[in-house]
Amino acid sequence: MAVQRNTKTLSFVPLEAVITERLVRASKRSMAIVWENLYGEQGDWGLIVEVNKATHAAMTPGPDLSRMSYASTRKFFEALDGLDGSEAGQVMDLYTWVRHTMTMAGTEAMYGPQNPFTAHPGLEDSFWAFERATTKLLVDIAPSVFAPKGVNGREKLFEALDEYIQKNGHESGSGVIKARCRISKKYGLSREEISRFEVASTIGLLVNTSPTTFWTMFHIFSNPALLDEIRQEIDSAASPTGPVECKISRRLDVTQIKETCPLLYSTFQEVLRVGSFSASARVVMKDTLINDQYLLKKDSIVQMPSAVIHADSVVWGPNAAGFDPRRFLKRDARKGDQKQHPGAFRTFGGGVSLCPGRHFATASILSIVAMFAMRYDMVSLSGNWVAPEPDVSSIVPGILPPRTDIKVRITKRKDFEPSHWIFHAGDSMSSSAISA
């Protein structure tokens, strides 16, 4: 908390600039624009200052976020409709399916109807090749030699995004992409420079939602009692609405699952707690004394690894090493429940560097998990749900993906009634029905 309070002397912004430059091979000209008033010391202006401010505004609860949630929910419908609903069911690799579904839903929400990931079907593979190579790209030693697939994937991303912006696809995209392009043009970036910076933005959009969704589904479906409770919770949260094909339908606002389904939300938070691999970092801008006892010297880097904080038994209790889906349910201080420190949950960062996409990511993950749980049963083909080892090969994900996939069989739920559910996003007038 002391580090978060010292926003003027401890900053993530210079690290963000250096990482972006190496990751996308930004030009010297464009980086000169980035560095101009980077810290906002000359006032509330500058490319990064304004882009960050606009991004936070567009991704806070409101019309822009509701439109993004609605767009991603539509893609979830398509993904669920594409699964085999027969009695025999469908065998699939769970993480592969989750990653494809979350990639297409996230990019549809961000880029709109001219989504380059839809226009170029191979772009998804290009992105994940780029993501796997990020560590070598950041080291920046002969990347074309040591990370050729990553370099090739990055350039294909750039070409597709450049085409998207050239065709003004961003004008029908989310409030976030509209703001990024508008502000970038205001500060003199060319179309090509905007497109190259947008390559870096895909990392923040995509890398964490897939593994988080996978682990949330794993922990729920591997625990039949928990799955049953969550299904009952979702059913109770839905409200009856008018008849659909002569049967009463159920209506659920996907943007409110966080409030209406506390056990599902607590399970999701526990996944973030035990799976977080991120480390908040700050550059010390000038000598800073924190808590009246620790002197941080100028030009040092302070790192706050979330995995260490999330495993601290002093903060989380004697069962900190285990997975407790009820850990984040509201606690009653009168019953002696331990109150958690407000800075102890670090998955989305903290302070001024708090992830602006946290609301969208949370709503997306809870939505797809809720829809899947209500519509399908799923079992591991091995007979037991054995957690795969996490993949630690990349430094980019905040939540580590599985090193190996899990083969599962999914079947349509026999006891799922009524025959239609209507999921809608916030105050959006548009909604879609999902058939059982």
Side-chain angles (χ1 to χ4, degrees), residues 234-235 238 250 252 374 416 418-423 432-434:
I234 297 169
D235 189 65
R250 307 281 285 170
L252 185 68
M374 295 308 291
F416 181 50
S419 64
H420 283 73
W421 277 67
I422 296 176
F423 291 86
S432 299
I434 181 169

Side-chain angles (χ1 to χ4, degrees), residues 35-109:
W35 281 98
E36 192 173 8
N37 197 35
L38 182 64
Y39 312 117
E41 70 277 7
Q42 298 176 36
D44 195 22
W45 64 273
L47 176 62
I48 298 302
V49 171
E50 291 196 31
V51 165
N52 286 344
K53 184 178 179 180
T55 300
H56 278 274
M59 300 199 80
T60 54
D64 281 337
L65 184 61
S66 289
R67 282 189 287 270
M68 290 184 69
S69 295
Y70 173 65
S72 63
T73 302
R74 287 184 59 191
K75 297 302 289 186
F76 295 152
F77 295 155
E78 292 178 14
L80 291 170
D81 283 340
L83 295 175
D84 185 355
S86 68
E87 186 174 343
Q90 175 178 339
V91 173
M92 66 180 188
D93 293 316
L94 180 58
Y95 184 64
T96 298
W97 181 84
V98 166
R99 194 176 74 174
H100 171 69
T101 300
M102 299 307 290
T103 299
M104 299 311 297
T107 53
E108 189 78 7

Side-chain angles (χ1 to χ4, degrees), residues 107-120 123 157-178 180-181 191 194-195 198:
T107 53
E108 189 78 7
M110 179 62 69
Y111 299 117
Q114 296 188 51
N115 180 10
F117 282 73
T118 301
H120 302 277
L123 198 60
L157 274 171
F158 164 71
E159 291 168 5
L161 288 165
D162 192 48
E163 176 188 348
Y164 167 79
I165 295 174
Q166 183 182 28
K167 293 181 177 179
N168 293 317
H170 59 285
E171 295 297 340
S172 57
S174 67
V176 178
I177 186 63
K178 288 177 183 175
R180 280 204 292 253
C181 290
R191 189 195 74 235
I194 295 171
S195 302
E198 190 58 32

